[in-house]
Each structure stands twice: as structure tokens, then as C-alpha cells.
Amino acid sequence: LDEILRATKKIVADNSPVDQIDKKLFESYLDTHDQPYPYVDLFIRTSGEQRTSGLMPWQMEYAEYYFEHCHLPDFTPEKLRDAILDYSRRRRRFGANDAVEHFTFKPELAAKLEVKWWRLRKIPQGVTFADYTINHLKEQYGMSKELSGKAAKYMLEALADGDKSKWIKAGKNLHKFYKLLKEELKIAFEPKLVASLEVKLWQDLKDKDSMASIGNAETTAQELYAESYRLSLFQATKLAHLRVLANVEKNMAEKGMGEQHWVKAEDYLNKFYRALKDRVA
């Protein structure tokens, strides 16, 4: 703040006309006026603190924040890498809305399709299940029917392997699925990493019918959605929680614990897709 006060005093001392004082003029009086890159892109705060302590408020107008629990002497190169990776996933808007609409799906329709898709999963290689898979992918990713058919083939094979706990084989098919998405939809993620995280989430959630039994599933889901949709881990927290809740309800329904669990699963999925669309679109 001292810098802003000093800049203001200099402007007053120079008798600058009020109608000529704008952002560009003000910045010419700041300490960073001759710096090639005066604006902060990433602000890393250590020691578990969540404040800037008045550091460069003008230059950090659109800075991205990253909070680390360890103290500065313990901030290793590996922790710096994690901070930069988290920052690289963020889409910076600089106070404006995105010009591109990333997702056009209707959250309630995507949720309804996925629940129907879940309920049909026990039908082996059924045409109806394949059709629902194609429709679900078309709705979520906005793909053509032809492309959705190709993607659905890989996804169905991965799901079949996952049901049999053939995790390595499931991961290979998921890798093909996400590689197709990346190539066709130009999504900025690493297919192999996303596939491995999704398989791990399947493992974490398999047969779990309570939040007390999920272990590290939310952490895995958080990493998955951060990588898949280019979000910070903090931004992916709500998505991860809603997705895990939906999967727990699905598992309870599949174990015959009541139709109400399918209703709850769809409600959580609706909230998941709504939060995803709000965050990404």
C-alpha cells in the first residue's frame, strides 16, 4: 500500500489534471513502471497463511493464488513444480467472461443419461447400453454420433474390464478413449494421466457404500477433475465431492438398498454437472 500512497502523492505534487489521471498514468508513477513484466501471474503464499500482507496490491489485481502449508525454508523444487502445475491448469479470465462456451450440455439431461447408463451396466454388451453410452457422450462432450460411437467402444471395453477388476487392461482402453477426445476435441489434458487417475478412482470406489469407507477417493477425484478440465485442485474440490457422493449412492442402489438411492445419485450428478458447467463454461 505504501507504493500506492507514494504514487498518489507524486501525481498530486506534479499537479496532474484530474481528467488526465487514468490507469496508464497512475502506473507510470509506480515502482514497477520500468519493469518489462510488472504484473504478477502466480502468488505463492507459504506457512499456511491465506493473505497477501499488502504485497503489490495493484500489480496482483489478476494474480492467481497458491497456498502452501510448509514454511519457506522447506519449500522444495518439488513443491514449486506442484504449484506451477496447479497454476498451469487454470484458465485465466482477467475479470471477463470467456468468449468461448466450452460446454453446452444440459446438466439435468447429462445426469439423467448417466444414471440410466449406470442402471444398464449389468446388461452384457447390450445394444441398449451401447446406445445410452453414445447418447451420454454426445450430450456431455458435444461430439457427433460417429465420434461418440468410437469413443463409446473404448469406454464400454474399459468398464467391462473394470467390472472384472482387470485394471491394467481398463487403463489401456481408457487411454484410447481420452486420446480420442484430446485429438478430436482439442482438450488440453494428458490422456495417459487422466486414464490412470480414472482407473484409480474406480478402484477407490468399487463396492463402497458409505462415505466412511471411501478412503482417498475424493483426493483421487480431485486430481482427476483438475487434470481433465484444467482446474486448480481447490476448484476441483466441489466436483470431486459431488461425484463421490453420486457413486456411493449408485453402489448402494446396486446392492438393492432401495430405489431412493438412484434418485439421490441423479440429484448429486445433476449438481456435479451444474458445478462443472459453471466452473468450466
Side-chain angles (χ1 to χ4, degrees):
L1 291 179
D2 179 70
E3 179 188 23
I4 292 177
L5 288 174
R6 285 187 285 105
T8 303
K9 291 176 180 178
K10 291 176 185 177
I11 292 173
V12 173
D14 286 346
N15 296 314
S16 299
V18 174
D19 59 355
Q20 292 183 16
I21 300 176
D22 56 14
K23 188 173 185 286
K24 185 176 180 180
L25 176 70
F26 193 88
E27 289 176 342
S28 70
Y29 283 87
L30 294 174
D31 296 343
T32 54
H33 72 279
D34 58 349
Q35 297 294 315
Y37 304 106
Y39 297 104
V40 178
D41 289 311
L42 174 62
F43 173 74
I44 301 174
R45 181 65 200 242
T46 58
S47 308
E49 302 291 352
Q50 294 184 310
R51 61 177 183 271
T52 65
S53 299
L55 178 65
M56 303 176 73
W58 185 279
Q59 294 88 341
M60 291 209 298
E61 179 183 13
Y62 291 117
E64 294 289 327
Y65 289 71
Y66 183 86
F67 299 104
E68 170 60 47
H69 289 289
C70 79
H71 292 273
L72 186 57
D74 301 318
F75 194 77
T76 62
E78 290 72 25
K79 288 183 179 295
L80 177 60
R81 176 188 174 279
D82 290 342
I84 293 174
L85 176 62
D86 193 70
Y87 168 77
S88 73
R89 290 168 171 160
R90 309 184 192 187
R91 190 176 61 261
R92 304 184 69 188
R93 303 182 184 186
F94 297 98
N97 292 324
D98 284 348
V100 178
E101 188 174 18
H102 298 270
F103 283 136
T104 59
F105 64 75
K106 296 178 180 178
E108 62 277 8
L109 179 56
K112 191 176 294 294
L113 282 170
E114 185 158 2
V115 167
K116 288 182 178 179
W117 185 49
W118 278 350
R119 299 189 76 159
L120 290 167
R121 276 185 59 179
K122 298 304 179 183
I123 301 176
Q125 304 301 317
V127 175
T128 304
F129 184 31
D131 287 342
Y132 266 117
T133 304
I134 292 170
N135 288 335
H136 174 62
L137 295 175
K138 278 177 62 180
E139 176 63 22
Q140 182 174 355
Y141 294 106
M143 295 187 291
S144 66
K145 186 173 183 179
E146 181 182 1
L147 184 58
S148 297
K150 292 180 181 179
K153 176 179 178 293
Y154 295 135
M155 176 58 78
L156 289 172
E157 290 175 351
L159 287 170
D161 293 330
D163 286 340
K164 299 173 184 176
S165 297
K166 296 181 179 179
W167 303 118
I168 295 177
K169 194 174 179 182
K172 290 180 179 179
N173 282 313
L174 272 182
H175 184 201
K176 294 176 184 177
F177 169 77
Y178 283 115
K179 186 176 180 181
L180 178 64
L181 288 188
K182 182 180 178 71
E183 291 172 349
E184 297 296 330
L185 303 182
K186 311 304 179 187
I187 303 175
F189 58 62
E190 174 49 53
K192 190 171 183 179
L193 176 57
V194 173
S196 66
L197 286 170
E198 183 141 8
V199 168
K200 186 175 187 304
L201 182 61
W202 289 357
Q203 291 176 290
D204 290 346
L205 289 172
K206 190 173 179 62
D207 298 325
K208 301 297 191 301
D209 56 13
S210 72
M211 291 301 290
S213 65
I214 62 170
N216 296 322
E218 283 203 37
T219 299
T220 304
Q222 196 178 15
E223 293 175 356
L224 170 62
Y225 298 127
E227 176 63 26
S228 300
Y229 300 112
R230 313 312 295 167
L231 305 170
S232 70
L233 289 172
F234 176 77
Q235 291 171 323
T237 301
K238 182 177 180 180
L239 294 174
H241 184 61
L242 290 170
R243 171 58 67 169
V244 168
L245 285 171
N247 274 269
V248 169
E249 293 294 337
K250 172 184 74 74
N251 290 343
M252 294 172 75
E254 288 181 341
K255 290 182 178 181
M257 302 172 94
E259 182 70 18
Q260 73 274 14
H261 293 295
W262 284 121
V263 176
K264 289 182 179 179
E266 184 173 336
D267 180 55
Y268 285 130
L269 282 178
N270 192 353
K271 291 175 180 175
F272 167 83
Y273 282 116
R274 193 170 300 281
L276 174 61
K277 190 170 182 178
D278 288 344
R279 172 55 60 188
V280 179

